[in-house]
Amino acid sequence: MLGGLKEKAGEVAEATTGAVQGRVDTAKGGKKLVDEGGLSARAALLAKAAANDAVVSDKETGKLMSLMSLSAERLETAAKKLREAAGMPDVEGIQGKEKFALWADSYEKRAAAYKQAGALLTGELEGPVFSDVETDALRLVLAQEGYEWAYEKGASAAGAAAKS
């Protein structure tokens, strides 16, 4: 029984060591990509990151498009009911009926605008795919960018303090 447990522990340790080594190799690959690729690699990685952010944001906008479609349907329904009610005899106690036709016009225009926007914004955008090495390289670039930004801010703050 103890022998089987030792064997299992050895297998787990070997698998863990392999996984850790793979992770280290990926990180080294990311650093090498940034170091050897220089400014071009940094620009490409940041461009892919910006493209990815844009695609994710665009997908979120799709939720708004669904809401616009629902709003268009409701506006059309409301306009139809307002026009029907506007053509009927007035009832004492119902206020604003004189505006029903005006509201119906504005609702129909808004519904048409929503539909037009929806027709223009169909389909999904294609986004970039990052390899594991690119992901690590991007993390390195972003960390460096953050360091450079913080250093520049600190230097400008120190300069401003020295002038005071």
Side-chain angles (χ1 to χ4, degrees), residues 66-149:
S66 296
L67 188 56
M68 284 176 51
S69 177
L70 176 63
S71 293
E73 289 176 27
R74 289 180 175 174
L75 287 164
E76 288 173 337
T77 299
K80 181 180 176 187
K81 290 180 184 258
L82 285 166
R83 288 197 191 288
E84 287 174 6
M88 294 181 174
D90 290 346
V91 175
E92 190 175 329
I94 301 291
Q95 299 178 357
K97 187 176 176 216
E98 69 281 358
K99 295 182 180 179
F100 282 12
L102 179 69
W103 291 346
D105 287 342
S106 68
Y107 292 4
E108 288 167 344
K109 287 177 185 174
R110 180 65 58 97
Y114 284 162
K115 286 182 172 185
Q116 185 178 13
L120 292 171
L121 300 172
T122 59
E124 287 189 20
L125 295 175
E126 182 180 341
V129 176
F130 288 84
S131 69
D132 291 344
V133 170
E134 286 177 314
T135 299
D136 277 4
L138 178 61
R139 287 178 181 147
L140 177 61
V141 167
L142 292 174
Q144 290 171 345
E145 295 272 325
Y147 172 78
E148 289 168 9
W149 176 84

Side-chain angles (χ1 to χ4, degrees), residues 20-42:
V20 168
Q21 186 59 50
R23 185 68 192 97
V24 168
D25 290 345
T26 300
K28 284 181 180 178
K31 181 166 180 2
K32 181 179 177 183
L33 180 62
V34 172
D35 290 346
E36 293 180 7
L39 188 57
S40 294
R42 293 170 71 90

